[in-house]
Amino acid sequence: MITIGQLAGYVGVSVKTIRVYHDKGLLPEPERDASGYRRYGAQDAIDLIKIRTLAESGVPLARIRDLRTATTEEFQQALREIDDELTVRIRGLRATQGRLRRLATGDLAPLPSGVATQLEHLASWGFTPRWVDLQRDLWILVFATHPERADALFRDQTETLADPELRKLHLDYDRAYDLDADDPRIGDLAHRIVSATRERYGPGELPGLDTASDIPALVQGTVNDSSPAWQRLDMLIRAELGV
């Protein structure tokens, strides 16, 4: 028979860890000698090695306690389930690691590669850095809050920008930023945008997020707050479309 200190040294754990295992019911309390000290035998050492191995493998202590009385078949099934859980955790950790590495390069909110490519195209097409930054922030918001709709909306915008005439409307919208709110060019631009919108989508519902979502209003509010000209442009477009 050996002491708790000797058992800890042989198995490679601390005395405190053994006491925790006792408290949680993983390792039964051994009998004490005449002096009141715990005394451990070979079976205790074997059980402790099993507990340590499972704990080091990431098995929760509560699961280890349950496995102590499991049959061989139940034990193997439990290990397979734990292995599956670990696989999911590893996948999640790798995704987290990827995000951390992107954060280290200054990419605070990673977007799908197609969005990043289009943002590069915006600059080459003549859009201002202000517009590119605005589009990046808005897509971050949409992909984070409505991932189920974001891809479809992004494809729609990609198709729109691929059309030179429609792309020019976006460029004109971008350049209207510095106009006075009562500049007559704003009314003309609003009418052209409405005409193009009706021609592209017809009288049906326009593409967008769930009508119950607050995100569209938040997005448009962010755009409008940055420019009185953009605010008036949005007002004229909504009035003409009846939305």
Side-chain angles (χ1 to χ4, degrees):
M1 305 295 287
I2 58 177
T3 66
I4 189 171
Q6 291 172 314
L7 175 64
Y10 290 144
V11 177
V13 299
S14 67
V15 170
K16 180 180 179 181
T17 295
I18 295 176
R19 287 174 176 154
V20 169
Y21 291 164
H22 284 324
D23 291 341
K24 292 187 176 297
L26 275 71
L27 187 67
E29 286 271 5
E31 294 183 359
R32 296 176 181 261
D33 61 17
S35 299
Y37 293 107
R38 297 183 180 92
R39 293 295 176 176
Y40 297 87
Q43 187 59 52
D44 295 315
I46 293 171
D47 290 342
L48 183 57
I49 290 172
K50 290 179 179 179
I51 294 169
R52 183 203 65 188
T53 302
L54 290 170
E56 289 178 347
S57 299
V59 181
L61 295 185
R63 295 286 295 277
I64 295 175
R65 184 177 59 244
D66 295 338
L67 290 175
R68 285 188 65 255
T69 58
T71 65
T72 300
E73 182 178 347
E74 291 171 340
F75 187 81
Q76 293 298 326
Q77 176 61 32
L79 290 184
R80 285 192 291 270
E81 292 173 358
I82 293 168
D83 183 76
D84 291 340
E85 293 170 4
L86 287 174
T87 299
V88 173
R89 287 174 56 191
I90 289 169
R91 189 180 300 117
L93 288 171
R94 285 175 175 167
T96 299
Q97 183 183 53
R99 287 193 292 271
L100 288 174
R101 288 175 176 175
R102 289 192 291 271
L103 287 172
T105 65
D107 189 358
L108 299 182
L111 285 166
S113 59
V115 178
T117 300
Q118 180 162 294
L119 292 173
E120 294 175 0
H121 288 163
L122 290 177
S124 67
W125 287 330
F127 286 92
T128 63
R130 174 191 60 242
W131 183 271
V132 176
D133 290 342
L134 177 63
Q135 291 296 308
R136 177 184 294 108
D137 291 345
L138 296 183
W139 281 122
I140 286 172
L141 182 60
V142 172
F143 272 95
T145 59
H146 291 77
E148 75 287 349
R149 290 284 296 129
D151 284 330
L153 292 174
F154 177 68
R155 284 195 300 272
D156 181 74
Q157 189 191 78
T158 300
E159 293 171 2
T160 298
L161 292 173
D163 184 317
E165 292 185 5
L166 296 179
R167 184 166 66 241
K168 185 178 185 306
L169 285 177
H170 283 76
L171 281 165
D172 289 344
Y173 199 122
D174 177 15
R175 293 163 184 167
Y177 179 90
D178 294 317
L179 295 177
D180 291 333
D182 57 354
D183 191 303
R185 286 174 289 182
I186 293 178
D188 174 67
L189 176 57
H191 181 69
R192 287 190 287 123
I193 290 175
V194 169
S195 297
T197 300
R198 285 174 173 162
E199 182 177 349
R200 177 169 171 77
Y201 301 110
E205 184 178 344
L206 300 178
L209 301 177
D210 187 334
T211 54
S213 174
D214 293 325
I215 296 303
L218 181 63
V219 167
Q220 194 59 53
T222 301
V223 173
N224 291 348
D225 288 345
S226 63
S227 165
W230 280 358
Q231 184 175 11
R232 180 164 181 263
L233 186 57
D234 175 55
M235 180 187 67
L236 293 174
I237 291 172
R238 288 176 177 276
E240 194 167 345
L241 284 174
V243 296

